[in-house]
Amino acid sequence: MFIKSSQCDGQQETCGCVNVAIVRDAVIVTDEAGNVSKFDHFEWRDFIAGAKAGEFDLPQDSPALAPAPV
């Protein structure tokens, strides 16, 4: 079963969301373009730890952090 982040707004221009499935031997990540990446559980654990520690945060000047136009 794939899970999509609750933070995904569903807007084509801003979404960029991925779907994640945690299965017995791997974690599978797909994007809306149909690309697929597969990680073992150790790789996924280390990635999640890095994300929680802020290692992958966007720079403050990233356009993705700008307020959405109204």
Side-chain angles (χ1 to χ4, degrees):
M1 172 198 271
F2 281 94
I3 301 167
K4 184 179 284 192
S5 170
S6 62
Q7 300 300 306
C8 190
D9 65 10
Q11 298 299 314
Q12 185 71 22
E13 341 36 88
T14 60
C15 186
C17 291
V18 297
N19 300 303
V20 176
I22 300 173
V23 296
R24 182 177 180 175
D25 296 327
V27 177
I28 302 166
V29 180
T30 65
D31 66 17
E32 294 176 350
N35 299 306
V36 177
S37 297
K38 183 177 174 182
F39 304 92
D40 67 35
H41 290 278
F42 298 107
E43 292 169 325
W44 188 251
R45 177 201 61 201
D46 292 344
F47 169 74
I48 293 299
K52 287 180 178 180
E55 292 179 22
F56 307 108
D57 289 355
L58 292 171
Q60 290 301 314
D61 61 349
S62 171
L65 297 177
V70 178

